């Protein structure tokens, strides 16, 4: 199968080499498309790769009937409608690591240019003026740098600023005093950071909560003569409020690489001599452009070839060592869900997924998603995948619970899936046996040992002599061969279960004849 990949923003040719070299990928580069043009073109593509120039709207995603993955060459994905992508089961990936060094270096360059008036002095010299006194700057040494957002780039900026002998105080919602002490920097709340800092640099994503995080009220809390740097995302700083703060003298200067609306050409901020600005150059180095494109293209290839991606945006990301531990359970989890839903005759209201044994100590959320995918695919089809499974379950008002326990009842690992309806509770459990692969080991309260694959028949019956023989004869009459059989009972002469693996699908005629046998209470044909 050949996959069609559309690249709608300029990417490094060296970076897209992994796609060029893939035998099953056809690359089309069409930049500068309007939204209407992209809506028309996207229908034939399996993957869409963009930078910040293309706005991937809900309307575009709705048109992408074959779209499986959207890739953003860079960190921010605010130009992609993540909710729409998730609803359609389209995974979104980015390349968060490739431009870390480039962005951190650009932040430091802007910080120094701002403190020493370098662009203004250069422009003055180009105009044949020698104004040494006009461009007296300030040193960074012993000044306090407030960092709002201490992710990858913020952390790199902190490391570099320490090299300039600055005092660092940082705020991040996932940052603690213990982490600050370990890094050798100060820790504070957002308010404490902006109150104490001589220079403030922001490194947060643009979210509903961070839009205009630095507004007029925030400027009012800052020191007089503070300097502001934004090389993160446009919109974190209220540009009109920044203009007023500079004009009033509250802010001594600002260095801006990103803006609320780009291209940023006519805003009154650019008229102020205290403002240093660049046209979104944070990731614009030869090295960064190549690295982000390579990282992105490799992830797109992984997904198209059925492998796990490294940098999902609308899926929680896991370190490689953890993914290596959980990935072997994905197949088992999906098959358990698919097997169980066929045993349920009513609408599922609640799904409980329990993990035991060695699974107790690892991240199991991806396994849960694969379980839910297996359950929902039975009724919603291939539209369901591990990207949108939990979202679709929520939309169907199905409650999903996840539990873990160290006790695995004699197994090294055990996954138990339970579905509750208004009047039913059905459950199935499975394990990975070392060297033997996945097994179903419990169905409700019955013990079995079944490989979850192929054509299966689950028969609930009364434990009486001759049942197995009559059942076998009936299947033989329909030319259905039995490959394996598992039988367990609650007690002698009581309820029992029989699970068969057969060579072909159990057709309706054979199923109905089985149900005519007095001892058989229910028959379910399952194809895994």
């Amino acid at each position: 199968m050949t996959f069609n990949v559309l690249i709608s923003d300029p990417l490094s040719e060296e970076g897209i080499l992994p796609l060029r070299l893939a035998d099953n990928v056809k690359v089309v580069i069409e930049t500068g498309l309007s939204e209407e043009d992209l809506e028309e073109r996207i229908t034939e593509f399996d993957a869409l790769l963009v930078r910040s120039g293309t706005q991937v709207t809900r309307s575009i995603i709705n048109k992408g009937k074959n779209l499986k993955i959207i890739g953003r060459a860079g960190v921010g994905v605010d130009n992609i409608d993540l909710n729409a992508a998730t609803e359609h089961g389209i995974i979104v990936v980015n390349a968060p690591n490739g431009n870390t060094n480039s962005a951190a270096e650009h932040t430091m360059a802007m910080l120094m240019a701002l403190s020493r008036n370098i662009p203004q002095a250069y422009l003055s010299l180009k105009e044949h003026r020698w104004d040494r006194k006009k461009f007296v700057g300030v040193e960074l040494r012993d000044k306090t740098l407030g960092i709002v957002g201490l992710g990858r780039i913020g952390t790199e900026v902190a490391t570099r600023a320490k090299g300039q002998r600055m005092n660092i105080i940082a705020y991040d919602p996932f940052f603690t005093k213990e982490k600050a002490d370990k890094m050798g920097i100060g820790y504070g709340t957002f308010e404490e950071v902006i109150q104490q800092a001589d220079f403030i640099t922001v490194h947060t994503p643009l979210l509903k909560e961070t839009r205009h995080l630095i507004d007029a009220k925030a400027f009012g809390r800052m020191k007089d003569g503070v300097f502001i740097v934004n090389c993160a995302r446009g919109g974190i700083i209220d540009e009109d409020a920044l203009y007023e703060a500079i004009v009033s003298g509250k802010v001594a200067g600002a260095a801006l690489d990103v803006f609320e609306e780009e291209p940023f050409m006519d805003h009154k901020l650019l008229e102020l001599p205290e403002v240093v600005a660049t046209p979104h150059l944070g990731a614009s180095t030869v090295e960064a452009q190549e690295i982000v494109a390579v990282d992105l293209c490799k992830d797109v290839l992984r997904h198209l070839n059925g492998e796990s991606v490294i940098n999902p945006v609308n899926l929680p990301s896991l370190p490689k060592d953890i993914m290596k531990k959980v990935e072997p359970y994905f197949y088992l989890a999906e098959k358990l869900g698919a097997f169980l839903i066929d045993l349920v005759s009513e609408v599922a209201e609640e799904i409980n997924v329990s993990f035991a044994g060695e699974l107790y100590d690892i991240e199991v959320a991806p396994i849960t998603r694969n379980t839910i995918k297996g359950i929902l695919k039975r009724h919603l089809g291939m539209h369901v995948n591990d990207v949108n499974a939990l979202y679709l379950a929520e939309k169907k008002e199905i409650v999903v619970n996840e539990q873990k326990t160290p006790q695995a009842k004699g197994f090294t690992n055990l996954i138990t899936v339970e579905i509750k309806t208004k009047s039913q509770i059905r459950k199935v459990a499975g394990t990975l046996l070392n060297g033997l692969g996945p097994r179903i080991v419990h169905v409700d309260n019955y013990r079995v040992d079944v490989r979850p694959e192929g054509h299966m028949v689950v028969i609930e019956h009364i434990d009486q002599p001759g049942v197995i023989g009559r059942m076998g004869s009936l299947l033989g009459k329909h030319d259905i061969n039995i490959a394996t059989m598992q039988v367990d009972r609650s007690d002698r002469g009581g309820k029992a279960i029989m699970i068969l693996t057969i060579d072909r699908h159990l057709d309706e005629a054979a199923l109905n004849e089985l149900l005519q046998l007095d001892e058989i209470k229910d028959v379910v044909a399952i194809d895994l």
Side-chain angles (χ1 to χ4, degrees), residues 113-125 127 129-138 227 252 271-274:
L114 183 62
S115 67
R116 300 303 298 268
N117 300 303
I118 292 173
Q120 298 93 325
Y122 171 73
L123 182 61
S124 175
L125 200 59
E127 294 173 347
R129 288 183 283 113
W130 189 268
D131 295 327
R132 293 184 65 196
K133 293 182 179 180
K134 183 177 181 180
F135 300 113
V136 173
V138 296
F227 292 89
E271 300 172 2
L272 299 177
E274 297 89 350

Side-chain angles (χ1 to χ4, degrees), residues 298-353:
K298 286 183 176 179
D299 239 4
V300 169
L301 274 177
R302 288 187 189 99
H303 188 65
L304 293 178
N305 291 324
E307 302 171 18
S308 297
V309 298
I310 303 299
N311 296 303
V313 174
N314 52 350
L315 283 175
S317 183
L318 290 176
K320 289 183 180 179
D321 58 332
I322 296 179
M323 181 59 76
K324 188 176 180 180
K325 292 179 181 179
V326 300
E327 198 165 18
Y329 294 96
F330 289 175
Y331 176 87
L332 171 64
E334 182 176 346
K335 296 304 181 182
L336 289 176
F339 179 91
L340 181 58
I341 193 62
D342 278 346
L343 299 182
V344 175
S345 58
E346 298 177 344
V347 176
E349 295 184 345
E350 182 177 332
I351 301 171
N352 299 308
V353 188

Side-chain angles (χ1 to χ4, degrees), residues 129-384:
R129 288 183 283 113
W130 189 268
D131 295 327
R132 293 184 65 196
K133 293 182 179 180
K134 183 177 181 180
F135 300 113
V136 173
V138 296
E139 294 185 4
L140 298 183
R141 185 185 63 175
D142 296 330
K143 300 298 191 301
T144 297
L145 175 65
I147 302 178
V148 180
L150 206 69
R152 292 169 297 97
I153 296 172
T155 299
E156 288 293 327
V157 170
T159 300
R160 287 161 172 76
K162 285 175 66 178
Q164 298 298 322
R165 290 182 284 177
M166 298 187 79
N167 302 313
I168 314 296
I169 182 171
Y171 163 75
D172 188 281
F174 301 102
F175 191 52
T176 64
K177 189 177 185 307
E178 290 73 22
K179 291 180 180 178
D181 292 342
K182 190 174 181 179
M183 290 177 61
I185 65 176
Y187 164 81
T189 63
F190 171 70
E191 287 75 16
E192 289 170 339
V193 168
I194 63 174
Q195 287 170 2
Q196 297 177 30
D198 301 300
F199 291 80
I200 296 173
T201 178
V202 293
H203 296 283
T204 72
L206 182 63
L207 307 170
K208 181 178 67 174
E209 295 78 10
T210 61
R211 180 173 291 278
H212 289 183
L213 180 67
I214 307 294
D215 57 8
K217 187 176 180 181
F219 285 123
R221 296 194 185 106
M222 297 177 189
K223 289 181 178 180
D224 291 340
V226 67
F227 292 89
I228 304 294
V229 179
N230 184 9
C231 293
R233 307 301 296 173
I236 297 172
I237 296 175
D238 182 335
E239 291 166 355
D240 291 332
L242 174 60
Y243 176 87
E244 296 299 332
I246 294 173
V247 170
S248 71
K250 182 70 176 182
V251 173
L256 306 173
D257 184 51
V258 291
F259 308 92
E260 289 196 55
E261 293 186 10
E262 297 180 2
F264 186 82
M265 304 294 290
D266 300 322
H267 198 281
K268 54 190 176 182
L269 271 172
L270 295 181
E271 300 172 2
L272 299 177
E274 297 89 350
V275 172
V276 175
T278 50
H280 206 145
L281 299 180
S284 294
T285 62
V286 172
E287 295 86 351
Q289 294 297 302
E290 185 172 332
I291 292 170
V292 296
V294 168
D295 287 350
L296 183 68
C297 291
K298 286 183 176 179
D299 239 4
V300 169
L301 274 177
R302 288 187 189 99
H303 188 65
L304 293 178
N305 291 324
E307 302 171 18
S308 297
V309 298
I310 303 299
N311 296 303
V313 174
N314 52 350
L315 283 175
S317 183
L318 290 176
K320 289 183 180 179
D321 58 332
I322 296 179
M323 181 59 76
K324 188 176 180 180
K325 292 179 181 179
V326 300
E327 198 165 18
Y329 294 96
F330 289 175
Y331 176 87
L332 171 64
E334 182 176 346
K335 296 304 181 182
L336 289 176
F339 179 91
L340 181 58
I341 193 62
D342 278 346
L343 299 182
V344 175
S345 58
E346 298 177 344
V347 176
E349 295 184 345
E350 182 177 332
I351 301 171
N352 299 308
V353 188
S354 301
F355 301 91
E358 63 184 17
L359 292 166
Y360 179 75
D361 295 319
I362 63 177
E363 174 58 62
V364 295
I367 307 176
T368 298
R369 290 197 299 271
N370 277 273
T371 306
I372 305 305
K373 176 175 71 174
I375 291 172
L376 296 184
K377 278 174 71 172
R378 280 298 194 228
H379 300 294
L380 300 181
M382 297 305 293
H383 169 62
V384 184

Side-chain angles (χ1 to χ4, degrees), residues 464-508:
Q464 291 183 4
V467 174
I468 293 176
R470 289 192 291 275
M471 179 274 305
S473 297
L474 192 152
L475 291 178
K477 185 182 76 171
H478 287 269
D479 197 28
I480 296 174
N481 190 46
I482 299 173
T484 68
M485 175 185 293
Q486 286 284 305
V487 180
D488 193 27
R489 61 186 183 185
S490 57
D491 50 64
R492 184 175 180 179
K495 294 180 179 179
I497 191 171
M498 185 188 313
I499 301 180
L500 311 175
T501 57
I502 55 179
D503 289 348
R504 66 176 178 83
H505 173 72
L506 181 72
D507 57 42
E508 190 172 352

